[in-house]
Amino acid sequence: MEKYQAVSKNIALVMDQVEFVNGKTRVYGIVGDPIEQVRSPEMVTWEMQKRDHNALLIPMHIARDEFDSVMPHIMRMRNLDGLIFTIPFKAQAIALAKTLGPQASQIGAINALKKHSSGAWSGEIFDGIGCVEAFKQKGITLQDKRLQLIGLGGAGSAICVALAYEKPKLMRLFDINPQTTERMAKMVNTISPQTVIEVGLPHAEGIDILLNASPVGMLNDARLPLAVEQFKKELIVFDAIVMPENTPLLSLAHDCGCQFVRGREMMLGQISKIVDYFFAP
Amino acid sequence: MEKYQAVSKNIALVMDQVEFVNGKTRVYGIVGDPIEQVRSPEMVTWEMQKRDHNALLIPMHIARDEFDSVMPHIMRMRNLDGLIFTIPFKAQAIALAKTLGPQASQIGAINALKKHSSGAWSGEIFDGIGCVEAFKQKGITLQDKRLQLIGLGGAGSAICVALAYEKPKLMRLFDINPQTTERMAKMVNTISPQTVIEVGLPHAEGIDILLNASPVGMLNDARLPLAVEQFKKELIVFDAIVMPENTPLLSLAHDCGCQFVRGREMMLGQISKIVDYFFAP
């Protein structure tokens, strides 16, 4: 009987070593082109397995010109329950959703798609929601605050909409494209009519929270996204940039004794909210 | 700076905890309907990661009536490098392969599909190859041996073909369907013209190795697949059945002091050979 037991142990050993996937695992994917740089597979899988879900998120590399034809078929995989979209698919992916969350409707883009038990798929964009969540995690409320937001591109417009839903007292908006600024100002007004809206060159006077969602300060760019030499220490500073962690703006905020919120905290906040969304009933 | 470091540690912690998937992971899948019972996700992933490949195998539940339309699109995923097929798709999947291995050509079914660097997909069936590998792992050669094979269905026909490629001295074949037996006898003759072929009711006289690939003895079936009361101790006995591990046939072999090879060893042998196939240049 020793031979029997030896083989049984062998199998048990395998089953013990690979605890993260089995036949019952629910599959999620992040879809992008390119895909190798994404961090969601580790981070979302960690968040899901930490919450005791038998689920993991894999990278899915779909070519740009095949996205529209391939995705509806991939979504027929019965044990696929959700998708995240990254560059260049956030706008295109909206066509895959039967229903949209409020922020996706405003922005015209999604980065998460969730299958309901009915089989229907709904989409929402979480870039801005992740930013708001990062503030909440630090006990900072946005309601009735005076905000300066710099940059209203892909991430910036999503952050702008999410901030508006928090009903701040004032939002100053700046983007290098004045038409974009104008469009986002109208959107903020629709979402939160009581918020005072200002547009123009960015500054930190009369502002409680300064948010950068422009690319200024990314990688080896040593510039600040606004003309300033120092901040009052009561100012709270946010930078959406993930690389480097230590942007010129956050360095200045740190040197001035300001509280700050970083791009990676927004990323973690976003992951937490996307996993909430995926597993909500 | 402590705040910076705290967040960095947090991220590093996540990356350390989830070592099994990231943006560069190559994806493999097992396709079946149903899917929850499969063991390949743990076992193939374990085999791949043990060999230091950044790869994992996920369950893919595709409905029977959607297989033909969905699969060619799933195969457009650029970081998907291989597929395994289980019930009910082994015959149907052959249409997805541009080229076939020798055993798949004989059987008319595949259970593994591999993407070459050219982007072309080739298929092979490994049920029989896994059986032969299990014997090799125990140092048992099949060449010039006298074999009795019982059962020539899905797994049995694949085992029959793989055994024939080993050029045994004699093969006695039995299946409850005489036409199946006739067809497989011809196939063995084509593959190994020097092998003596016998058909008829199974027995262990004048036989070196007795192989059961019939379902007799599965689960709570207490029957033996042939009329026998005991074996000579020189006989080697194989049973393709995985559940239970301890089949009536293997119990008798054990009681008679015979060497034996089990269904799970065939399964492990098959996984090893499939991973060889996936990662061969």
Side-chain angles (χ1 to χ4, degrees), chain A residues 118-179:
Chain A
S118 67
W121 292 80
S122 66
E124 181 57 300
I125 187 156
F126 285 86
D127 297 277
I129 292 168
C131 173
V132 169
E133 177 66 14
F135 280 97
K136 284 190 182 158
Q137 289 293 328
K138 295 207 153 170
I140 304 165
T141 56
L142 298 163
Q143 195 176 3
D144 295 327
K145 295 283 165 62
R146 296 164 300 170
L147 318 178
Q148 166 73 60
L149 175 59
I150 306 169
L152 300 166
S157 60
I159 289 169
C160 183
V161 164
L163 294 175
Y165 275 101
E166 297 301 306
K167 306 199 183 308
K169 182 188 287 179
L170 178 145
M171 281 180 79
R172 298 197 86 246
L173 303 179
F174 173 75
D175 190 84
I176 47 169
N177 183 337
Q179 287 169 317

Side-chain angles (χ1 to χ4, degrees), chain B residues 104-117:
Chain B
S105 302
Q106 296 282 349
I107 303 289
I110 64 172
N111 74 333
L113 192 64
K114 162 215 175 82
K115 185 164 69 183
H116 294 267
S117 50

